[in-house]
């Protein structure tokens, strides 16, 4: 299983969430930068484990939209047995992936 880390520590605007996800998860150029596109891409990932760092800062900064990102990833993981994601409480430096 391929493991990826996503760092949301510098995210201040909703579009930045999608820019980070697209870059860090190597989403295709046609990634639509919205929740529907996030679900579509995440639900088709193969043998991928994603560790989300500073996700709580994203939720704090963007409120409901940040929570919707987490819910969308959760729904995609339920749909796709080849995709897992982990909400990390530690900093990226503290966790070995």
């Amino acid at each position: 299983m391929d493991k990826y880390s996503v760092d949301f520590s510098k995210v201040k605007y909703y579009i930045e969430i999608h820019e980070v996800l697209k870059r860090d998860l190597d989403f295709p150029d046609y990634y639509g930068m919205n929740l529907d596109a996030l679900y579509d891409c995440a639900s088709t990932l193969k043998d991928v484990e994603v560790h989300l760092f500073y996700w709580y800062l994203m939720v704090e900064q963007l409120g409901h939209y940040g929570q919707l990102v987490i819910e969308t990833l959760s729904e995609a993981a339920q749909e796709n047995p080849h995709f897992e994601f982990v909400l990390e409480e530690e900093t990226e430096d503290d966790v070995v992936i």
Side-chain angles (χ1 to χ4, degrees), residues 76-92:
Q78 289 174 4
E79 176 73 22
N80 179 1
H82 306 287
F83 167 60
E84 298 176 19
F85 79 102
V86 179
L87 299 175
E88 296 289 358
E89 296 297 327
E90 298 88 6
T91 66
E92 191 169 4

Side-chain angles (χ1 to χ4, degrees), residues 35-51:
L35 294 173
D36 288 335
L38 174 58
Y39 178 84
D40 291 344
C41 285
S43 64
T44 60
L45 291 172
K46 300 283 189 232
D47 296 323
V48 171
E49 181 178 299
V50 176
H51 294 257

Side-chain angles (χ1 to χ4, degrees), residues 1-9 17 19-27 45 48-55 73 83-88 90-97:
M1 182 169 282
D2 293 329
K3 296 182 181 185
Y4 295 88
S5 61
V6 177
D7 179 352
F8 287 123
S9 63
I17 294 170
E19 290 169 349
V20 167
L21 288 166
K22 180 178 178 180
R23 180 193 66 226
D24 292 351
L25 299 180
D26 199 27
F27 283 166
L45 291 172
V48 171
E49 181 178 299
V50 176
H51 294 257
L52 303 180
F53 293 91
Y54 302 105
W55 60 272
L73 289 170
F83 167 60
E84 298 176 19
F85 79 102
V86 179
L87 299 175
E88 296 289 358
E90 298 88 6
T91 66
E92 191 169 4
D93 296 332
D94 296 336
V95 176
V96 176
I97 297 180

